[in-house]
Amino acid sequence: MNLDAFFATYRGWLQGVAPGVDATLRGPATEAEVDRYEETVGAELPAELRQLWAIHDGEAEAEPSGGTIGGLVFLGVAESLREWADWSSLRDETSDEDMQALRMFSASVPADAIQQEYTAAGWLPILKESMEGNYLGLDLAPGPGGQPGQVINFGRDEDRKAVISRSMSDLLGFIASEAQQGEIVVSSVEPRGLPVLAHRRGRLISVVRRLAESRGPLA
């Protein structure tokens, strides 16, 4: 599913199931903003990430109640860069010994597809678990068995990392399909009256990781 088709399909579903949530999606980011992001992270961005942010620059005022994409917060350019910078600071400020201890339990599924690290500069956060430091995002520095631009899970609680999909388009297409099949539901209503989304089977990050582990990257 291409990105334009995803948003057309998914926004229509939101309007029917979770009225008002789609209104939190922002307009497009500017090319200059995305260029600055690329310069800061020091890596060429995949064309589909540029396209994603050219459609919507993330969402506004999502936390602490959840986010638009299956309950995950869709990070815009500034928010993604802020999260990336926080992890960059952690890498700079953590001793080699402590970083070794943090990476001790890291695992990659499939083996060698993802760097066995606690955190890496090439991991770009795109979807975030509300109020938690856990993400689905793009891996621009994969392990020897991986592909640049693959989508992985990573973050504070994500020692076991998997190749979730080969692209953001594939992941978002899967989420749209889950929504249409009734697997993503309104779990509660936040104080402002907006519905809060969640997957029927628990944390969306865990759901997609388990599926990717059992049957390969989602498409």
Side-chain angles (χ1 to χ4, degrees):
M1 176 179 288
N2 66 47
L3 294 173
D4 287 318
F6 162 75
F7 279 110
T9 298
Y10 190 73
R11 290 193 71 166
W13 175 83
L14 280 175
Q15 289 163 4
V17 173
V21 174
D22 72 301
T24 66
L25 291 166
R26 297 193 188 107
T30 67
E31 188 172 346
E33 288 170 332
V34 181
D35 286 344
R36 286 194 293 272
Y37 183 102
E38 183 176 74
E39 182 178 357
T40 302
V41 302
E44 183 176 355
L45 301 182
E48 73 161 6
L49 180 55
R50 286 182 167 274
Q51 182 189 3
L52 181 66
W53 280 331
I55 299 170
H56 290 295
D57 185 19
E59 61 181 286
E61 299 181 359
E63 295 186 293
S65 299
T68 59
I69 310 297
L72 296 179
V73 178
F74 173 25
L75 299 174
V77 175
E79 291 80 15
S80 177
L81 190 57
R82 183 167 60 246
E83 299 285 334
W84 181 91
D86 286 345
W87 285 94
S88 180
S89 296
L90 176 69
R91 291 190 297 272
D92 290 343
E93 296 165 4
T94 304
S95 68
D96 291 343
E97 182 180 9
D98 288 344
M99 193 59 75
Q100 177 62 35
L102 287 170
R103 73 167 64 94
M104 184 182 303
F105 300 104
S106 296
S108 167
V109 182
D112 298 324
I114 303 164
Q115 292 187 58
Q116 291 185 241
E117 298 286 349
Y118 179 66
T119 171
W123 299 347
L124 307 184
I126 307 299
L127 302 179
K128 179 178 187 269
E129 194 167 40
S130 180
M131 302 303 292
E132 302 289 348
N134 301 313
Y135 314 89
L136 297 174
L138 295 182
D139 179 5
L140 303 189
Q147 299 177 3
Q150 63 192 9
V151 176
I152 65 171
N153 60 300
F154 60 95
R156 186 186 65 191
D157 305 312
E158 300 298 311
D159 287 327
R160 188 173 178 84
K161 301 172 182 70
V163 177
I164 305 299
S165 63
R166 298 299 184 194
S167 68
M168 283 300 301
S169 301
D170 284 347
L171 172 63
L172 293 174
F174 171 81
I175 292 173
S177 177
E178 290 287 277
Q180 291 176 316
Q181 292 175 33
E183 293 300 313
I184 296 173
V185 298
V186 174
S187 63
S188 61
V189 177
E190 54 107 76
R192 294 175 300 170
L194 286 178
V196 178
L197 299 170
H199 199 282
R200 284 188 184 276
R201 299 197 296 278
R203 298 176 63 232
L204 182 56
I205 292 176
S206 294
V207 169
V208 296
R209 177 183 56 77
R210 289 194 299 265
L211 286 171
E213 287 181 336
S214 65
R215 71 188 202 192
L218 307 177

